[in-house]
Amino acid sequence: MIQSHLTRGWPPAIAATQGRTERPAELPGDAPLAVRGLTVSYGEKPAVFSLDATFPAASMSAIIGPNGAGKSTLLKAAIGVIPRLSGEVYVFAQPLEKARARIAYVPQRASVDWDFPTTVMDVVQMGLYRKVGLLGRLSGAMNARAQDCLDRVGMADFAHRQIGQLSGGQQQRVFLARALAQDAHLFLLDEPFAGVDAATERAIIDVLKILKAEGKAVVAVHHDLSTVRDYFDHVFLINVRRIAEGPVATTFTTENLQATYGGRLAATHLDELSMASGAR
Amino acid sequence: MGAEFVQFSLTPILIGIFSAIACALPGNFLILRRQALIGDAISHVVLPGIVVAFLVTGVVAAVPMLLGAAGAAILAVILIEAVKRLGNIEPGAAMGVVFTTMFAAGVLILEQTDTSNVHLDVEHALMGNLESLIWFRAEGWHSLLDPVALASLPDELIRIALVCALVAALTRIFWRWLKIATFDEGFAQALGIPARALGFGLVVMAAVAAVAAFDAVGSIIVIAMFICPPAAARLMTNQLEHQIGWSVAFATLSAILGYVFAGYGPLWLGAQNAVSAAGMIAAVSGVILGLACLFGPHRNRIGAARDAA
Amino acid sequence: MNAFLQALFLQAGYNAALVAIGAGLLGFAAGSSGTFMFLRKRALFSDAVAHATLPGVGIAFILMVSLGGDGRSLPGLLAGSALSAWIGLLLIEWISRRTRLAEDAAIGAVLGVFFGIGIVLLTVVQSMSAGRQAGLEGFLLGSTAGMLFQDAVVIAIGGSLAVLVTWLMRRPMTLVAFDSDYAAAMGYNVRRIDLLMMSLVMAVTVIGLKLVGLILIVAMLIIPAVTARFWTERSSRVIWIAGAVGAAAGYLGAALSASAPALPTGPIIVLVAAGIFVVSLLFAPVRGVLAAVIRHRRFQARVHRRQGLLALAAQHPIREAYTLRLLAREGLARPDGVPTETGRAQAAKIARDERRWDVAREIHQDAGLTGRYDGLTPIEEVFTADEIAEFDRRLGPPVALGGA
């Protein structure tokens, strides 16, 4: 951004030692989400360190890595829910604050108190709060829109249910409906499939695929390696630092996974993986 | 229910009602945010606030005392946050350290200063004196239309009515933000809502309500008003909008019944003197909460029907 | 000053000496038993217990007078306060277990309501003919003025007993406070030990009522425990340090209070404890604020230095002003971002280390070692020189970034 002149006359010998962790030199362009040099630390231990990441439009991206590798941290820091120690975030080439209206966020289901006294419809309407402001009236059209979003996740009949009475999968669908109501272009999901039933997982993935077809960008923290090939187009492998990023076909390889998980990737996982890829 | 009622009971009852409502409104959110005890902390630091205000100004006047109390409450909130963050200490312990220290400082200063000749003493601040806030010039219901009599309404009534209106207005204006930031803070921040500032604002609002209420119901009993009506309301409904309504109703009921029982209860039992109205209001709110715990339709943690899971 | 020294060395009269010893013992018992509540994250439980004693004081007084006795008998009042505190405890437990209300709401509700009832009873007492000089208000803020010899004895004996019980039960209570599941697995009755902790807190509260008052006794249960936490990471030590802080605050506070008029015992004890707390908060060696600020600044500099060097190695512009300033200050780069000789050398080293880590992750199956990567830890701290030499041997031509 500031200096393009400073690399003049300085030998590229070091480039020979560059491997996977090489940074893309150029600025993010108009990618839906890009972070540059992102470091977040809880106390004295960086949770993510000097990350560069670029997530493409009209595709579904997975953030993958072992537990404690900084997957959720990356997402939360990208959207400003937790403070960053250093680094920059660009959303459609704009700073985060200017682009908030274009982002929809689905937090981890367990991050809220489901005993809160409210109904399913109320939660979905929260996705419209940015649009209606503090005191604006929720018009009939907006209510219809909220109802439509519930319909899209298969929860139309639950609009007036108390949220404490929902199953885990239903809670996740309600959160997705709320994100849909935001009418965003970039969808960030934190572990959307954690602890949900198979039918819900199917329903969520169908909705996300429609979003992709509409040209929206979907970025999800994901930890089920066996479904990556089925669900996603793009992967970002992380273990505190970026290990690799790119299309699933070329980046989601055994070598890169080995590098991401180190010894932690048990042989069984690799087996599952080869079965999943062999099945196609 | 004639002239005597208007003169001696109307204003205390109204002050009690406004105090209870002004505290119950922010109390609803404090309870849902697991911050119920911030009301405890705030109410304890009111005393050092008014003592310091008296030291600085040298007069016993309502406005500096209220400002001092509000300042102390805000200082306490900031100190609690600082101790919590800097020392990495859990919120309950941080509150305990801060408010007891400030309270101790307040008592010490009070003992060091010669305030015995002024109407400022610990018990007043702790217990309130609702009974004394009478409407001197009132001669009956018609006084409500008499500008001369109205001008002599106790200042406390005007003040708490204004604060109650302010709290209600702020709750209404920031309703959506409060609701979303209380339910899902991360999502609120992602929407660009200043959730942290909002949380601080809520605590300040609670502090203002506590300060305005303390000279009527006493600073400790304010805690009961923060917690009991909203907690009972939570057990009556599963809808936040209705919960607010119930809490206002319970607050009003506590104030009226508490005042009546304190004033007339002992007489019914054959005793001579009335008992503390503020204490009785807290007791009644406790009985309401107890009944809600036993019979409230939504008292149990898991919804009654968990069908179609 | 002279009067203070006299009081400090127990020369200010028999009563004052007993009070000082009692306050010291009480402080020790409060500090150590409060630690268990603090570690169990129930610090404000004690606040509710303390406020819940008030109705008991009132009822005991009314009962004793109506039975024709002296309403001011300290043992009687303390028994009453213990009973009502116990009821308050049970109510908190019942509300938070049986209803959907959280524990903090239950604590606040019991605290406010019991205090309200207590105030009502105090107004009843004041209207009784025997109640006018009862001095029950002394229980709100504590007062040693006019304390009888036998009251001081009660405090001293009670304080010693509480210390004794704490010492006898320290092991099971520590275990439960730190890890109740593990304690249950070891065969301890967690519920009973919890109850014991609360009884101890209640006992301390009741003994301290006359001395510090029910509003401030909670400070003696919380402040020493929080203070002790700054000085050690070890549970057994927290308890004794908290006890020592409490004892020091109690003894010094009582002595100070005895040395001058208009220095009420309760607030002075609390303020001494608070003073120790503030000093600990600021200056404790590891957990103190000063230490943390210095550590954080160093850490931030490390992160930025490393990121800056990585950018230099990759020949990327340094975008953040702080990084640039830092590198310039340390002679690693010129203010315009062009690296110096040292800067280049260090950048090359860091870039090579990153590459070594990549190799390490590929060939090392021990996640315990490769998992220590956090971008900052030098590779030499994790692997031996031989292993690093092995990585270097394997460092072949660069591997293309998969598909990017």
Side-chain angles (χ1 to χ4, degrees):
Chain A
M1 190 153 46
I2 327 165
Q3 317 98 330
S4 51
H5 61 277
L6 64 132
T7 53
R8 241 180 294 139
W10 115 254
I14 278 173
T17 64
Q18 292 294 304
R20 293 188 183 85
T21 46
E22 183 187 357
R23 289 167 169 229
E26 78 284 7
L27 274 170
D30 58 354
L33 175 64
V35 301
R36 292 290 177 267
L38 177 73
T39 298
V40 180
S41 163
Y42 301 114
E44 305 284 302
K45 178 111 177 138
V48 303
F49 182 78
S50 199
L51 276 188
D52 291 344
T54 311
F55 296 96
S59 74
M60 286 177 57
S61 310
I63 300 173
I64 291 170
N67 287 333
K71 303 186 295 286
S72 295
T73 303
L74 164 59
L75 211 59
K76 285 183 195 157
I79 203 161
V81 173
I82 50 176
R84 12 184 224 273
L85 199 65
S86 71
E88 284 153 13
V89 177
Y90 305 93
V91 176
F92 297 102
Q94 287 181 308
L96 178 63
E97 286 309 321
K98 289 192 175 163
R100 282 204 186 274
R102 305 178 74 178
I103 310 173
Y105 172 54
V106 180
Q108 282 184 22
R109 195 162 50 81
S111 68
V112 306
D113 174 14
W114 289 93
D115 198 37
F116 193 83
T118 196
T119 60
V120 167
M121 192 60 175
D122 265 347
V123 174
V124 177
Q125 284 173 348
M126 287 176 187
L128 298 166
Y129 278 9
R130 219 190 138 81
K131 209 164 285 166
V132 294
L134 273 177
L135 294 168
R137 261 180 54 80
L138 278 165
S139 63
M142 282 178 171
N143 276 320
R145 177 177 170 73
Q147 185 63 45
D148 177 54
C149 292
L150 270 179
D151 206 16
R152 282 166 72 185
V153 299
M155 293 285 291
D157 297 339
F158 292 78
H160 300 292
R161 188 69 63 93
Q162 213 275 326
I163 57 169
Q165 297 172 5
L166 302 177
S167 71
Q170 290 168 337
Q171 291 172 352
Q172 194 66 56
R173 292 182 196 211
V174 171
F175 263 14
L176 182 60
R178 179 176 70 174
L180 292 175
Q182 286 183 268
D183 198 17
H185 298 95
L186 167 64
F187 287 76
L188 301 175
L189 300 92
D190 201 345
E191 306 231 6
F193 305 117
V196 304
D197 53 287
T200 297
E201 183 157 339
R202 201 65 246 162
I204 291 175
I205 209 70
D206 287 345
V207 171
L208 296 182
K209 284 191 168 159
I210 293 171
L211 290 175
K212 180 179 90 173
E214 291 170 353
K216 313 273 168 76
V218 176
V219 178
V221 170
H222 191 61
H223 60 199
D224 181 6
L225 294 179
S226 65
T227 52
V228 171
R229 284 177 195 281
D230 283 338
Y231 294 171
F232 295 97
D233 320 302
H234 182 97
V235 287
F236 183 87
L237 297 174
I238 177 176
N239 191 347
V240 183
R241 282 210 74 173
R242 180 186 69 185
I243 306 296
E245 71 176 323
V248 168
T250 51
T251 312
F252 193 65
T253 60
T254 311
E255 297 79 52
N256 280 341
L257 283 172
Q258 191 71 59
T260 310
Y261 285 80
R264 272 177 281 197
L265 189 65
T268 49
H269 271 105
L270 285 171
D271 285 352
E272 275 172 29
L273 212 59
S274 50
M275 278 166 66
S277 45
R280 43 187 52 245
Chain B
M1 288 304 235
E4 199 176 306
F5 174 81
V6 175
Q7 191 174 13
F8 292 108
S9 297
L10 182 63
T11 44
I13 288 184
L14 284 178
I15 291 172
I17 292 175
F18 287 138
S19 306
I21 294 177
C23 293
L25 285 176
N28 279 290
F29 292 99
L30 292 178
I31 285 192
L32 291 171
R33 297 164 79 98
R34 305 271 188 276
Q35 288 181 330
L37 290 170
I38 200 86
D40 182 19
I42 291 171
S43 59
H44 279 88
V45 301
V46 162
L47 173 80
I50 56 177
V51 171
V52 169
F54 170 75
L55 263 194
V56 172
T57 62
V59 292
V60 182
V63 173
M65 272 167 47
L66 290 178
L67 287 179
I74 291 167
L75 177 69
V77 170
I78 293 170
L79 283 178
I80 289 168
E81 199 61 23
V83 168
K84 215 164 76 185
R85 297 251 180 97
L86 295 177
N88 200 12
I89 292 167
E90 53 123 351
M95 281 182 217
V97 171
V98 171
F99 80 72
T100 54
T101 304
M102 289 178 70
F103 190 87
V107 175
L108 180 66
I109 298 172
L110 193 68
E111 297 277 331
Q112 294 276 306
T113 346
D114 180 26
T115 50
S116 52
N117 56 341
V118 294
H119 187 65
L120 170 73
D121 60 85
V122 179
E123 275 129 64
H124 169 92
L126 293 181
M127 305 177 194
N129 61 341
L130 196 50
E131 299 83 347
S132 69
L133 302 173
I134 54 177
W135 188 7
F136 240 7
R137 301 283 294 270
E139 288 156 356
W141 289 102
H142 58 86
S143 294
L144 283 174
L145 301 171
D146 175 6
V148 180
L150 281 177
S152 72
L153 276 172
D155 289 345
E156 286 85 351
L157 176 61
I158 314 287
R159 220 159 36 224
I160 190 67
L162 286 177
V163 167
C164 188
L166 177 74
V167 167
L170 286 174
T171 308
R172 175 65 196 92
I173 292 171
F174 290 101
W175 175 255
R176 283 185 183 140
W177 281 16
L178 283 168
K179 184 171 169 180
I180 195 169
T182 302
F183 172 59
D184 189 346
E185 188 168 15
F187 185 75
Q189 284 173 315
L191 285 185
I193 293 171
R196 273 169 192 273
L198 192 69
F200 185 72
L202 175 67
V203 173
V204 171
M205 186 164 94
V208 169
V211 168
F214 98 90
D215 58 1
V217 297
S219 68
I220 306 296
I221 293 153
V222 163
I223 305 166
M225 290 295 101
F226 271 125
I227 296 174
C228 291
R234 177 68 192 90
L235 306 177
M236 300 303 291
T237 172
N238 264 330
Q239 184 72 23
L240 186 56
E241 288 78 1
H242 300 168
Q243 182 186 323
I244 302 282
W246 277 105
S247 72
V248 169
F250 285 150
T252 310
L253 193 65
S254 307
I256 296 173
L257 288 183
Y259 186 82
V260 170
F261 288 161
Y264 303 104
L267 302 183
W268 299 336
L269 294 175
Q272 300 293 313
N273 304 65
V275 297
S276 159
M280 194 54 97
I281 291 174
V284 170
S285 74
V287 170
I288 293 176
L289 175 60
L291 291 174
C293 284
L294 287 172
F295 308 112
H298 297 281
R299 62 186 181 278
N300 293 320
R301 196 157 281 143
I302 293 167
R306 225 195 140 92
D307 51 329
Chain C
M1 199 62 215
N2 200 22
F4 173 60
L5 286 178
Q6 268 187 359
L8 195 60
F9 297 110
L10 304 175
Q11 304 300 312
Y14 204 60
N15 246 6
L18 260 184
V19 166
I21 292 172
L25 286 169
L26 180 74
F28 191 94
S32 49
S33 58
T35 304
F36 298 114
M37 301 299 272
F38 169 60
L39 294 176
R40 208 124 165 66
K41 303 215 186 320
R42 280 179 173 167
L44 286 178
F45 231 93
S46 4
D47 198 26
V49 171
H51 284 75
T53 54
L54 192 56
V57 173
I59 289 176
F61 184 88
I62 295 170
L63 266 183
M64 286 190 290
V65 167
S66 59
L67 292 176
D70 177 8
R72 286 174 294 176
S73 149
L74 191 58
L77 294 177
L78 295 191
S81 67
L83 192 67
S84 76
W86 189 243
I87 295 172
L89 261 181
L90 292 182
L91 277 179
I92 293 174
E93 223 210 345
W94 180 77
I95 292 175
S96 51
R97 217 162 29 116
R98 287 287 308 282
T99 76
R100 71 188 331 148
L101 295 175
E103 196 171 81
D104 66 330
I107 289 176
V110 165
L111 189 159
V113 171
F114 271 61
F115 196 80
I117 296 172
I119 297 286
V120 168
L121 290 170
L122 281 194
T123 51
V124 171
V125 166
Q126 274 162 355
S127 69
M128 294 164 62
S129 53
R132 299 213 187 279
Q133 329 81 355
L136 293 193
E137 295 81 12
F139 283 88
L140 288 178
L141 299 172
S143 80
T144 46
M147 187 186 268
L148 300 174
F149 172 66
Q150 68 174 80
D151 297 349
V153 171
V154 168
I155 290 170
I157 293 178
S160 326
L161 280 179
V163 172
L164 187 71
V165 173
T166 310
W167 187 75
L168 286 176
M169 298 302 292
R170 67 192 183 282
R171 291 219 172 85
M173 292 200 299
T174 316
L175 207 58
V176 169
F178 267 94
D179 189 348
S180 56
D181 290 343
Y182 180 67
M186 298 260 296
Y188 285 103
N189 185 335
V190 172
R191 200 178 139 75
R192 198 175 294 168
I193 293 170
D194 259 340
L195 232 49
L196 178 75
M197 283 184 206
M198 288 180 212
S199 315
L200 208 53
V201 164
M202 201 180 73
V204 168
T205 308
V206 168
I207 299 163
L209 275 187
K210 185 78 185 159
L211 195 62
V212 263
L214 62 90
I215 296 175
L216 289 176
I217 184 69
V218 59
M220 300 200 60
L221 287 157
I222 295 179
I223 296 179
V226 177
T227 306
R229 193 66 190 78
F230 283 104
W231 296 95
T232 177
E233 298 289 328
R234 288 183 41 193
S235 60
S236 49
R237 289 202 191 141
V238 179
I239 297 164
W240 301 127
I241 294 175
V245 170
Y251 189 81
L252 288 176
L256 260 176
S257 155
S259 64
L263 284 181
T265 322
I268 291 290
I269 292 178
V270 174
L271 289 175
V272 171
I276 304 177
F277 165 76
V278 170
V279 170
S280 308
L281 172 74
L282 295 179
F283 303 114
V286 180
R287 290 178 53 110
V289 171
L290 199 63
V293 167
I294 293 171
R295 213 166 45 232
H296 182 77
R297 290 197 62 115
R298 282 196 191 140
F299 174 72
Q300 200 175 18
R302 267 174 78 197
V303 168
H304 279 265
R305 182 187 305 117
R306 178 121 184 151
Q307 277 187 255
L309 287 172
L310 280 171
L312 290 182
Q315 304 182 33
H316 290 158
I318 295 167
R319 296 199 190 88
E320 282 180 75
Y322 174 64
T323 316
L324 202 56
R325 272 206 314 279
L326 186 79
L327 291 187
R329 199 170 63 219
E330 299 188 351
L332 300 172
R334 298 204 321 242
D336 62 359
V338 177
T340 62
E341 272 312 310
T342 357
R344 274 179 218 188
Q346 289 201 17
K349 158 83 168 84
I350 277 174
R352 183 147 191 92
D353 282 353
E354 287 298 318
R355 195 72 195 95
R356 286 164 167 167
W357 274 108
D358 289 341
V359 177
R361 271 189 290 264
E362 270 166 32
I363 65 172
H364 241 281
Q365 294 302 310
D366 184 354
L369 289 181
T370 52
R372 283 184 59 191
Y373 177 85
D374 57 8
L376 292 179
T377 311
I379 195 164
E380 289 85 357
E381 282 182 17
V382 181
F383 296 104
T384 62
D386 288 347
E387 283 172 317
I388 293 172
E390 167 69 9
F391 302 152
D392 285 344
R393 206 176 55 70
R394 287 181 180 238
L395 268 181
V399 182
L401 181 59

